[in-house]
Amino acid sequence: MTDNMKKTIGWVIGGIALLVLPIILQGFGNAWVRIVDLALLYVLLAIGLNIVVGYAGLLDLGYVAFYAMGAYLFGLMASPHLSDTFAAFKAAFPNGVHVSLWFVIPMAALFAGVLGVMLGAPTLKLRGDYLAIVTLGFGEIIRVFLNNLDAPINITNGPKGLGQIDAITIFSFPSLGIAGINLGRPLEVLGFRMSSVTLYYYLFLSIVLVSILISYRLQVSRIGRAWMAIREDEIAAKAMGINTRNMKLLAFGMGATFGGVSGTMFAAFQGFVSPESFSLMESVMIVAMVVLGGLGHLPGVILGAVLLAALPEVLRYVAGPLQQMTDGRLDASILRQLLIALAMIVIMLLRPRGLWPAPDHGKSLTTKT
């Protein structure tokens, strides 16, 4: 059996495993499928941040702002909030705006991309800690704005958040009388009942696979090689004729689009968004996913995102018994965060370049005799 055949068989087995995974987990409860759904959203976020941090070498601690922008954009355009708040919207849309997700996704990607370029423009000459501080401040500014834009004009509903957000409907053609499939409701397929979270899993998986393809094509393109040259040595890259300014802005913009798309998916999946979902800790976790998996290496980033997204939920079942062993002296949520931190410290000590680091092209060649 040739290597190509082995690789093909491996891909087929992996594809079948991804397809049947939610059906198997559904038998243990929808909570496990929901964990996998959220892990896929974090994979999408990590892929986007990997463009900025992994490919271009630009530290971004405000990435969650683009996630929030996508979520709130869909929340405003697919809920009754605007019609309930503004008379003009009420007259035009008596039952709420309720714009289709497939129209909002390009808008969210474009909006987040423009915000990414706006963030990148004033940081072009910053590096290291200074760049981290500026991007951190940007993320906090967006969160504070979302938290306070309920007065004097109620745009975001402040800390109360936006609710009653529409679920995603696919294959819907109202003009032809085809209602489509509402992912917010269970679906019967050949006598088998598929829950809402299972339906969302297949949608998220499709979007993640497309995002992986886009990210990989960027990595092997001239743009990707220019980003990596900037990451390794910006002065040398500029000397070789690379327009470092435009390349940095492009990295910020491209990475932000993934965050905007992921935000729309999160809003539709949850049916509710609030500023609490987009705290600084979320940005730190997304950066940790990229670093833990392996900077600039797409399979490693995916692995890091899945592990860090699923680990807190799995550790719920460990923190409870440990809390009982201490007679309740330790809070379960605090203990869970402690276990996550310890696991990350151990992994980074044993694997400082990440769990699945990128191969060192040209540095680890061995002479064949």
Side-chain angles (χ1 to χ4, degrees):
M1 185 179 294
T2 63
D3 292 340
N4 288 334
M5 290 181 62
K6 291 180 180 179
K7 187 178 295 185
T8 302
I9 293 173
W11 281 110
V12 171
I13 294 174
I16 294 174
L18 288 175
L19 290 175
V20 302
L21 177 62
I23 298 174
I24 296 173
L25 292 178
Q26 188 176 303
F28 297 95
N30 289 334
W32 290 101
V33 187
R34 185 179 180 83
I35 291 172
V36 178
D37 290 347
L38 292 175
L40 287 175
L41 287 179
Y42 277 110
V43 167
L44 186 57
L45 286 169
I47 290 173
L49 185 60
N50 184 54
I51 293 176
V52 183
V53 179
Y55 293 166
L58 305 170
L59 184 57
D60 187 356
L61 291 181
Y63 189 72
V64 75
F66 311 118
Y67 187 39
M69 288 294 98
Y72 266 87
L73 182 62
F74 184 68
L76 289 172
M77 301 189 71
S79 73
H81 174 73
L82 292 178
S83 295
D84 293 344
T85 307
F86 301 101
F89 276 95
K90 184 71 174 179
F93 308 98
N95 298 321
V97 182
H98 304 294
V99 178
S100 171
L101 174 76
W102 311 114
F103 180 73
V104 178
I105 284 179
M107 290 182 58
L110 178 62
F111 185 43
V114 171
L115 278 178
V117 173
M118 292 175 60
L119 169 62
T123 64
L124 290 175
K125 295 184 179 180
L126 300 177
R127 294 187 183 90
D129 299 340
Y130 302 100
L131 178 61
I133 291 171
V134 171
T135 55
L136 185 152
F138 174 79
E140 284 299 287
I141 287 171
I142 295 298
R143 185 186 63 80
V144 172
F145 263 103
L146 295 175
N147 205 36
N148 290 277
L149 280 181
D150 57 343
I153 302 175
N154 187 4
I155 299 177
T156 64
N157 209 28
K160 297 178 183 178
L162 300 175
Q164 303 179 43
I165 300 174
D166 297 341
I168 298 174
T169 301
I170 59 175
F171 308 125
S172 175
F173 302 98
S175 59
L176 301 177
I178 302 176
I181 301 174
N182 187 344
L183 301 188
R185 301 173 183 172
L187 179 67
E188 293 280 347
V189 179
L190 300 176
F192 181 78
R193 183 182 176 88
M194 300 179 68
S195 63
S196 173
V197 289
T198 301
L199 297 176
Y200 271 109
Y201 168 87
Y202 291 113
L203 175 64
F204 293 168
L205 179 62
S206 302
I207 295 175
V208 166
L209 292 177
V210 173
S211 301
I212 292 172
L213 178 62
I214 294 172
S215 181
Y216 175 73
R217 295 305 302 169
L218 282 172
Q219 179 183 354
V220 298
S221 68
R222 293 179 62 184
I223 294 174
R225 293 195 295 271
W227 283 336
M228 294 175 196
I230 294 172
R231 178 190 67 192
E232 297 300 329
D233 193 327
E234 184 176 348
I235 296 175
K238 187 179 293 186
M240 293 300 294
I242 296 174
N243 190 327
T244 57
R245 177 179 65 88
N246 289 351
M247 286 295 104
K248 284 184 177 181
L249 291 178
L250 184 60
F252 274 111
M254 285 299 301
T257 58
F258 287 83
V261 172
S262 183
T264 60
M265 295 295 148
F266 174 75
F269 180 61
Q270 293 283 97
F272 173 81
V273 292
S274 70
E276 294 180 358
S277 301
F278 312 106
S279 63
L280 173 62
M281 189 61 191
E282 289 293 313
S283 276
V284 173
M285 284 293 289
I286 301 169
V287 173
M289 291 171 182
V290 176
V291 176
L292 185 70
L295 277 171
H297 194 217
L298 200 53
V301 169
I302 296 170
L303 176 62
V306 170
L307 288 179
L308 276 188
L311 190 60
E313 304 301 327
V314 174
L315 286 179
R316 289 181 188 274
Y317 299 92
V318 179
L322 289 179
Q323 184 187 26
Q324 295 177 0
M325 290 172 59
T326 59
D327 296 328
R329 295 187 183 91
L330 291 176
D331 182 75
S333 60
I334 296 176
L335 185 59
R336 186 160 53 97
Q337 293 297 325
L338 176 63
L339 292 174
I340 294 171
L342 289 175
M344 291 177 63
I345 290 171
V346 171
I347 291 173
M348 294 312 295
L349 287 174
L350 298 177
R351 306 278 295 183
R353 295 182 60 241
L355 290 173
W356 196 344
D360 293 329
H361 296 292
K363 296 180 181 179
S364 58
L365 297 178
T366 57
T367 304
K368 293 183 178 181
T369 58

